[in-house]
Amino acid sequence: MLADARAWDRPGQLSTYAAVMILLRDLREYLVTLDSVDVGYATEKVVEAEWHVGAMFGLDIDNGLPTEQHHVSCLGSLETLKNLLR
């Protein structure tokens, strides 16, 4: 969804942003219920993903990084989360 949304019109990008942010918020809430993962580290990865998604769509500070870098970094944060939750 994130990769495709970069080529969509602005309303589609904003819809994707909203959907991803809701999913990340729900994931953050779920993380605090777990005993088997480092919740602090996992939460840090969620926060990173939130920032990269916002920067990717021009809704957060991009620190001068190109959109593609934010896309890759967001996917990296999500991959780390996936591995933590296994």
Side-chain angles (χ1 to χ4, degrees):
M1 183 166 68
L2 289 173
D4 292 341
R6 292 179 300 154
W8 295 345
D9 62 4
R10 193 65 176 157
Q13 290 177 350
L14 295 174
S15 296
T16 299
Y17 170 80
V20 170
M21 293 301 282
I22 289 169
L23 292 170
L24 289 171
R25 182 202 62 210
D26 290 350
L27 180 57
R28 187 190 308 210
E29 291 173 2
Y30 171 70
L31 289 173
V32 298
T33 68
L34 301 177
D35 293 329
S36 60
V37 299
D38 181 347
V39 174
Y41 182 63
T43 301
E44 177 185 330
K45 293 300 169 184
V46 171
V47 170
E48 284 178 12
E50 290 170 338
W51 173 62
H52 287 298
V53 169
M56 201 173 124
F57 294 119
L59 299 170
D60 206 336
I61 298 167
D62 65 9
N63 285 356
L65 298 174
T67 300
E68 183 61 30
Q69 182 61 48
H70 285 291
H71 177 246
V72 169
S73 296
C74 180
L75 294 179
S77 295
L78 295 175
E79 184 66 26
T80 300
L81 279 168
K82 184 172 88 172
N83 291 333
L84 284 171
L85 296 173
R86 285 190 180 167

